[in-house]
Amino acid sequence: MIKLQDLTKQYDKFLAVDHLNLTIETGEFFGLLGPNGAGKTTIVNLLMRFYEVTSGDILIDGVSIQEMKREEVHNLFDMILQDTWLFHGSVRENLVYNKENVTNETLDMVCKAVGLQHFIQTLPNGYDTILDDSINISEGQKQQLTIARAMIKDAPLLILDEATSSVDTRTEIVIQNAMDQLTVGRTSFVIAHRLSTIKNADIILVMNKGDIIEQGTHEQLLAKKGFYAELYNSQFEIVS
């Protein structure tokens, strides 16, 4: 369980998060939505202790993150961003990163789950292929690799920050299926630009100027006919 208690973050005179209170149950899928500057990314940075809180606290299973080492906090999270991160090394090294004793069977299972199995089979040396300029990898495949890496790490908490915003609609469907696999059984925070990525969230938080202005499931928010419904309908209206 994660608790945000009277959480406030201020940069000079700019109030990014304003006395936010929220309880996130273990295994829940949270969608975060709002305009630029609403406070979504600030919450993520505070959760990861990239930034320190101005006041208030964040508790993970009853323990303040202020009492944890940053490394301890980081080890609790997987984080997948819009900008993928791969390094010069083999596919295997990019997938397992610093996790030990990962078998080929595990790699096969994970790559199949995220839709990478065919791509791996086409590589000259499979998992031992070095990722360099001679290997043509699409943005979607890079994102699938980072999702597979997160599945192998298997941290209990997950942050997805605009993870599908840099790919086309067809690739988004593949990556969305991979993310659905990734979020099973994990407490997940998904910052979304395309609302299709958070439709199935247990709770969607709509933020503006550091506050939660709407909160509920996709169906509940549509019924309110507020900010979320207006944004959703503008994205999915059929042009006649």
Side-chain angles (χ1 to χ4, degrees):
M1 179 188 292
I2 297 176
K3 284 190 176 183
L4 312 183
Q5 294 185 336
D6 206 28
L7 189 66
T8 299
K9 178 61 181 178
Q10 186 165 346
Y11 307 96
D12 295 326
K13 295 182 179 180
F14 174 66
L15 193 60
V17 177
D18 186 14
H19 298 284
L20 187 62
N21 288 282
L22 184 66
T23 298
I24 300 139
E25 299 293 340
T26 300
E28 284 191 320
F29 172 9
F30 268 67
L32 295 172
L33 175 70
N36 290 338
K40 309 183 299 296
T41 301
T42 295
I43 288 178
V44 168
N45 287 328
L46 292 174
L47 282 169
M48 295 286 291
R49 276 199 75 187
F50 293 144
Y51 302 159
E52 297 295 347
V53 303
T54 300
S55 62
D57 205 355
I58 298 172
L59 305 179
I60 299 178
D61 292 335
V63 180
S64 169
I65 64 171
Q66 308 302 316
E67 298 175 9
M68 302 180 191
K69 295 180 180 178
R70 279 191 171 87
E71 184 179 0
E72 290 180 89
V73 176
H74 295 169
N75 286 337
L76 291 172
F77 285 90
D78 284 325
M79 192 170 187
I80 299 175
L81 308 176
Q82 174 183 344
D83 298 322
T84 53
W85 174 70
L86 300 176
F87 56 86
H88 185 276
S90 69
V91 173
R92 183 189 309 276
E93 289 167 335
N94 270 276
L95 288 173
V96 304
Y97 194 43
N98 60 358
K99 186 155 184 174
E100 299 178 350
N101 302 318
V102 179
T103 66
N104 277 2
E105 288 75 19
T106 297
L107 292 176
D108 288 342
M109 179 185 66
V110 168
C111 288
K112 183 177 181 180
V114 303
L116 272 177
Q117 193 174 41
H118 176 70
F119 170 69
I120 300 297
Q121 290 172 346
T122 63
L123 294 173
N125 297 304
Y127 294 120
D128 296 316
T129 302
I130 301 298
L131 296 179
D132 56 23
D133 294 338
S134 69
I135 304 298
N136 186 26
I137 307 179
S138 69
E139 287 302 316
Q141 288 165 335
K142 290 178 183 177
Q143 195 63 281
Q144 286 168 285
L145 283 167
T146 61
I147 293 171
R149 180 195 293 155
M151 290 183 76
I152 290 168
K153 181 182 177 182
D154 197 27
L157 306 173
L158 176 65
I159 294 170
L160 298 165
D161 190 349
E162 302 281 12
T164 63
S165 62
S166 62
V167 299
D168 58 47
T169 303
R170 178 178 293 181
T171 306
E172 180 189 5
I173 295 171
V174 175
I175 292 176
Q176 185 61 52
N177 289 335
M179 290 196 299
D180 289 344
Q181 295 275 346
L182 179 61
T183 56
V184 172
R186 303 189 190 199
T187 306
S188 305
F189 301 81
V190 181
I191 297 177
H193 174 68
R194 297 177 182 175
L195 301 191
S196 57
T197 61
I198 58 171
K199 280 180 62 177
N200 297 325
D202 294 303
I203 300 177
I204 298 170
L205 305 178
V206 184
M207 298 190 66
N208 194 25
K209 297 180 180 178
D211 290 322
I212 298 172
I213 59 173
E214 292 179 357
Q215 178 174 330
T217 65
H218 170 71
E219 291 77 14
Q220 289 169 340
L221 292 174
L222 284 182
K224 288 182 179 179
K225 298 182 179 180
F227 180 90
Y228 178 88
E230 183 178 344
L231 184 58
Y232 182 83
N233 290 330
S234 71
Q235 285 194 12
F236 290 93
E237 66 183 353
I238 299 174
V239 178
S240 58

